[in-house]
Amino acid sequence: MLLIACLGILPVMLIAYYTIQRTAGHHSRQETRHMIEDMVVEAMNKHDKDFDD
């Protein structure tokens, strides 16, 4: 029964994944690098606040 349920859900999940990939905004390499740098800076700032407490 579980196998049938899993095999039934798989096509739905693949369609949802494909739809999200096609509709989501894709970022350029520069935008991705900038977002990662911002996340690193934010994480470092939170880490510094933890030591200040």
Side-chain angles (χ1 to χ4, degrees), residues 2-41:
L2 180 64
L3 180 64
I4 294 170
C6 290
L7 290 175
I9 293 173
L10 181 63
V12 175
M13 296 297 283
L14 290 174
I15 292 169
Y17 174 77
Y18 180 76
T19 303
I20 290 169
Q21 288 296 320
R22 298 301 287 165
T23 59
H26 296 286
H27 302 288
S28 68
R29 181 176 293 177
Q30 183 71 20
E31 290 172 329
T32 304
R33 186 174 294 150
H34 183 68
M35 287 189 301
I36 291 172
E37 288 173 359
D38 287 345
M39 287 191 294
V40 168
V41 169

Side-chain angles (χ1 to χ4, degrees), residues 39-52:
M39 287 191 294
V40 168
V41 169
E42 183 177 343
M44 290 173 66
N45 288 339
K46 286 183 180 180
H47 186 68
D48 288 341
K49 288 179 184 176
D50 288 343
F51 281 117
D52 291 339

